[in-house]
Amino acid sequence: MVPGARLIVLGKQGAGKGTQCIRLSHHYVIPHISTGDMLRAEVKHRTELGEEARTYMDAGELIPDDVVLAMVAKRLDQDDTKERGFVLDGFPRTVTQAEGLRDLLSPVELDLVVNLVVPTGLVLRRLASRRVCLDCGTNYSTSNRPRVDWICDVCSGEVVQREDDTAAAIRRRLDLYETETAPLIAWYRKAGTLASISGVGEPESVSDRIILAIDARRAPGADPLAHQGYEAHEPHPPHHAHDHDHEGHLLTDGEHEHPHEHDPWQHDPDLDDPGAGT
Ligand code: AMP
């Protein structure tokens, strides 16, 4: 039987956290806990928490730490996470949340915190083309559409462009990432649980790299300082000159396409400024 795991995936919005968390959740048979998905469900069902969260989310602002911590504490108290562990997506986002999580889990520790590293120019393009199923959270993009436009292949739910994937909200979220979330990288590095891994390339290659890092960390007799090796090592997959965009960022296959006018699946022209949000 595959052993469970306690994992966190950090990274800018659009770094591919959601996709990688789903893959890790299948690989280690652990629940995928996305605070963004949980909050969107609350908003959709118009709960008290949802009504409180909506304004923050639409503006790209962070929900107050105590509110998010209470929601996560409830989820971590369920049997599946106690038995198998979890992969946390979008949480923690502040040092206060990381401290809260440490206290919630104590004396149990995390296996690994993965820092998914992707250039800002590439995440802007990914976010602008992102579409998501409101019901099951499956991600699509302008180059990876559902079979029927706006209808989810997995659950037939409604596929939308997220309200907070507007140019202004994306810029705000990326700014907040730098000020609030990036300090977590140093915090987890100090705690000895961080692995920085390149999030550029096909999703399969990225998850192979992550799984390698997790398994190396958990191998019997693993050097407890081995994480420092991961931190220094940010591998890049083999690539060709035409795989780069005009800024020199590496593109994955689905990212070669250019926007077509009059196509509602295509992205917000406001985001065409490659320097935006950096
Ligand atoms: P995400 O889907 O992770 O990009 O989250 C969407 C939005 O939900 C964020 O822009 C925040 O408004 C809110 N949110 C999600 N997770 C957190 C968190 N850990 N702390 C504060 N706000 C959060």
Side-chain angles (χ1 to χ4, degrees):
M1 178 161 138
V2 187
R6 292 183 197 83
L7 307 169
I8 291 176
V9 179
L10 296 177
K12 286 176 200 146
Q13 289 71 19
K17 289 192 298 292
T19 304
Q20 291 307 322
C21 286
I22 291 171
R23 298 177 74 88
L24 291 172
S25 139
H26 291 163
H27 185 87
Y28 292 105
V29 198
I30 48 177
H32 167 208
I33 302 180
S34 154
T35 45
D37 285 351
M38 290 166 82
L39 289 163
R40 276 184 288 279
E42 300 283 343
V43 170
K44 187 178 171 195
H45 294 110
R46 296 180 177 274
T47 62
E48 202 179 319
L49 170 57
E51 293 301 311
E52 185 185 351
R54 180 198 295 273
T55 31
Y56 291 101
M57 294 174 78
D58 285 351
E61 298 290 340
L62 293 181
I63 312 298
D65 288 331
D66 54 337
V67 176
V68 180
L69 267 164
M71 184 178 81
V72 171
K74 219 162 129 190
R75 182 65 187 85
L76 293 184
D77 202 33
Q78 290 174 12
D79 288 344
D80 57 347
T81 55
K82 283 185 175 162
E83 281 161 20
R84 298 288 309 167
F86 48 78
V87 53
L88 287 171
D89 172 1
F91 177 92
R93 258 182 161 91
T94 64
V95 171
T96 305
Q97 292 180 15
E99 287 167 348
L101 176 66
R102 179 196 54 200
D103 296 347
L104 278 174
L105 294 177
S106 177
V108 172
E109 296 202 352
L110 295 163
D111 286 303
L112 198 64
V113 178
V114 174
N115 173 31
L116 214 48
V117 183
V118 174
T120 301
L122 182 50
V123 302
L124 280 171
R125 237 174 301 284
R126 283 185 181 171
L127 288 171
S129 79
R130 176 162 75 177
R131 307 292 182 263
V132 64
C133 172
L134 273 181
D135 288 331
C136 71
T138 298
N139 272 321
Y140 296 93
S141 72
T142 50
S143 53
N144 171 33
R145 303 167 175 222
R147 282 189 294 273
V148 179
D149 276 355
W150 311 110
I151 308 283
C152 180
D153 290 347
V154 178
C155 74
S156 299
E158 186 187 355
V159 176
V160 298
Q161 177 164 30
R162 278 172 46 170
E163 302 252 336
D164 59 351
D165 277 348
T166 61
I170 289 173
R171 287 193 190 104
R172 178 70 188 136
R173 278 149 68 212
L174 287 172
D175 283 350
L176 276 173
Y177 181 81
E178 292 305 327
T179 54
E180 301 292 334
T181 308
L184 280 179
I185 293 165
W187 197 84
Y188 280 119
R189 183 183 294 130
K190 206 166 150 210
T193 38
L194 188 82
S196 286
I197 293 175
S198 168
V200 177
E202 293 300 327
E204 297 76 22
S205 334
V206 177
S207 29
D208 285 351
R209 291 198 282 271
I210 298 176
I211 288 167
L212 209 67
I214 295 167
D215 291 349
R217 165 114 192 157
R218 294 165 9 132
D223 177 353
L225 296 178
H227 65 274
Q228 292 179 1
Y230 311 144
E231 179 51 19
H233 180 58
E234 288 182 15
H236 288 277
H239 54 268
H240 306 291
H242 66 268
D243 287 334
H244 291 82
D245 65 10
H246 62 278
E247 294 175 271
H249 296 132
L250 189 69
L251 299 175
T252 66
D253 276 347
E255 289 162 337
H256 287 284
E257 298 185 10
H258 295 290
H260 305 287
E261 276 179 43
H262 313 304
D263 182 345
W265 269 89
Q266 298 303 331
H267 72 239
D268 181 344
D270 266 7
L271 285 164
D272 279 347
D273 171 12
T278 55

